[in-house]
Amino acid sequence: MSLLVTVLAFALPVVFVLVPLAIFLGYSFFSVDQGTIVYGLSLGNYVRFFTDPIFLPVFWNTIVLCVSVAVICILLAYPAAYFLTTLKGRWRYALLMLLLVPLLMSYVIKIYAIRSILGLNGFLNKALVALGILDQPSTLFVFNMNAILLTLSLLLIPFAILPIFLSLERIPQTLLRASDDLGASGWQTFLRITLPLSLPGVASAASFVFVLAIGDFLTPQMVGGISGFTFGRILYSQFGTAYNWPFGAALSVALAIVVICAILIGERFGRNRGTSI
Amino acid sequence: MNALPRPSTIFLAAITTLVAVLLYSPLFVPIVSSFFTISHGNVDWSSPTLSTYVALAENHDILSALRTTLIVGVCTVVLSVVSGTLLALYYHSRRSGRSFLQFIIFLPFLMPPIISGLALLIFFREIHLERSLLTVVIGHTVFVLAIVYRTVLMRLQSMSRTLVEASYDLGATGWQTFWRIILPNLSSAMVGGAILAFALSFDETMITILVTGTQSTLPVRLWAMMRLGFSPDINALVALILMFTVLLCVLAARFLIPRQMATERT
C-alpha cells in the first residue's frame, strides 16, 4: 500500500518533468544529418559551441546584458523597497501590492507597449524632442541591445523589489535602535547595519532577475531587431529555422548550467544570517 | 525603521514614484489608446471613441484564441490543484523521498521556461504525441504545479496538528478526518492557488509557443500578430485583459492572506 502511494506520487512529476529533461540532455549528444536526427552519442555539439566564433561571444554578451539588467533592477528596487519599510501598517502592504501587481499583467502585452514607448515614434522620443533634449527622434532605444536592456529591466523590477523588501523588513528594530542609542548617525546606521543585513535579499533579487532575463527570448525577439542577438534567440532558432534540435539542446545545457550557477550563488549569499534575533 | 531625515525621505519617495511610473506606463499606454483612434502612429486626442471595442467583438481570430486560453486555463487549474494538493499531502505525511520529489516539482519553475518547453517538445515527439491542446495543458500544468503545491503545503504546515488529533480522538476514520477537517482547512489555499495557476496559465507564452499545435492561445496569437503590427482593437483587448488580471490579483490576495493577519496589520 505504502509503496503504491509512493509510486503514484512520483509518477506524474517523474514522467512529465524528469524524463523530458533527461531525454533533452541525451539529445545534446546526438547530431543531425541532412535533416534527420542521428541517435549516436558524440560531443560534437559541445565542441562546436566552444570552437565556433559565433556562439561564445553571444553567450558572453548575453551574460553581461543580464548582469546589467540585474544591476539596474537592484539600483531602482532597493530605494523603493527601503521606502516601503519606512511606511506604517496598511500603507506599507498596499504600496507593495501596487508595485507587485504588474507582475501578473500579460508579459507579451507589456513588451509590446514598452516597444511602442521606446520606438522611433514612441512616447520617449517624442518627450525628449519636446523637452529639447534631442533635435530629432533617436534610434538609440529601438531594435538593439539597449532596447532589450531597458525592456527587460522594466519587466523584472518587481522581482527585485520583493526579496529586498522582505530582507529589509526582517531586520530587527532593536539593532537600529541600539545603533541610534550608541550615537551613530542615520547614514552610519544604514551603512553599518541596514545595508549589510539586507545584502542577502539583494543577492536573491539579483539571482532571480538574472535567471529570468537570461531565459527570456520573447523580449529580445520583439525589441532586439537584427543587431540585438541574444543567446535565447539563437537557441530558439535552432528549433525553428535551423532545425538542429541536438545542437539546440546542447546550447540549452550551457544555458541551464549558467542558470544553476546563478541560483546556487543566489542561495549561498541569499541566506539571512544574523537577523534572527 | 527609524525616522529618516527629510531630504532622504523625499529622495526615496521620488525613486519609488519613478519605479511605479515605469511599471505602470506600459499598462496605461494601451488602455488610453483604446479609447482614441490612431492614424499614422499619431493619437487623435480630440475624439474619444469605443469603436475599438466594437471591432474587437467582431474579431473572430481573437475570440477563438480567447476561448482556447480559457479551456486550457480551466483544465490546467483542475489538474494542477488536484495533483498539487495530493503532492503536498504526500510531502506533509513524511514519506520517503519527499525532498527529492519536491525538487522535481520545483524544477520547471526554476529552469528557464524555454528549457522546460523544449524538453517537453522533444519528449512529446519521442512518445509520438501530436502537438495539440493536450500538450499545451500538460506544459502549463507542469509549469504552474509548483505554485499550487507550495501554496497548499504552506497552509498544511501552518495547520495545527491538534485538529487532526482531536478528530481521531473523537473516533473519526482517516477519510472522515480528511474530508471534514483537512480539506475544509485547505480550501482557501486551494482556491488561491487555483487563481494563481489560472493567472499564470492565462499569460504563459514561451512554453505554449513551443508545444502548441494549430490552435493558439491568446498570448501566442498576440505574439504572432505583433510582428506585423497591431490593429487598434488589440488595445481594447489589452484594456479588458488588464482589468481582468487586476480582478484575479484581488481575488488571489483575498484567499491567500489569512483574514486574521489582514486585520492585525492594519
Side-chain angles (χ1 to χ4, degrees), chain A residues 95-110:
Chain A
L95 204 57
L96 180 67
M97 272 296 270
L98 189 76
L99 294 180
L100 295 184
V101 161
L103 273 188
L104 282 170
M105 303 284 186
S106 174
Y107 197 76
V108 172
I109 288 167
K110 275 187 291 187

Side-chain angles (χ1 to χ4, degrees), chain A residues 17 20-21 24-25 214-217 231 235 239 248-260, chain B residues 107-108 110-122 206-207 210-211:
Chain A
V17 179
L21 284 174
F24 195 44
L25 185 65
I214 203 165
D216 193 11
F217 76 96
F231 198 64
L235 208 169
F239 286 83
L251 295 182
S252 307
V253 171
L255 178 68
I257 289 171
V258 172
V259 165
I260 291 166
Chain B
L107 259 185
L110 293 173
M111 283 282 125
I114 187 169
I115 292 184
S116 313
L118 291 174
L120 282 172
L121 174 68
I122 291 181
M206 285 207 250
I207 295 177
L210 296 168
V211 299

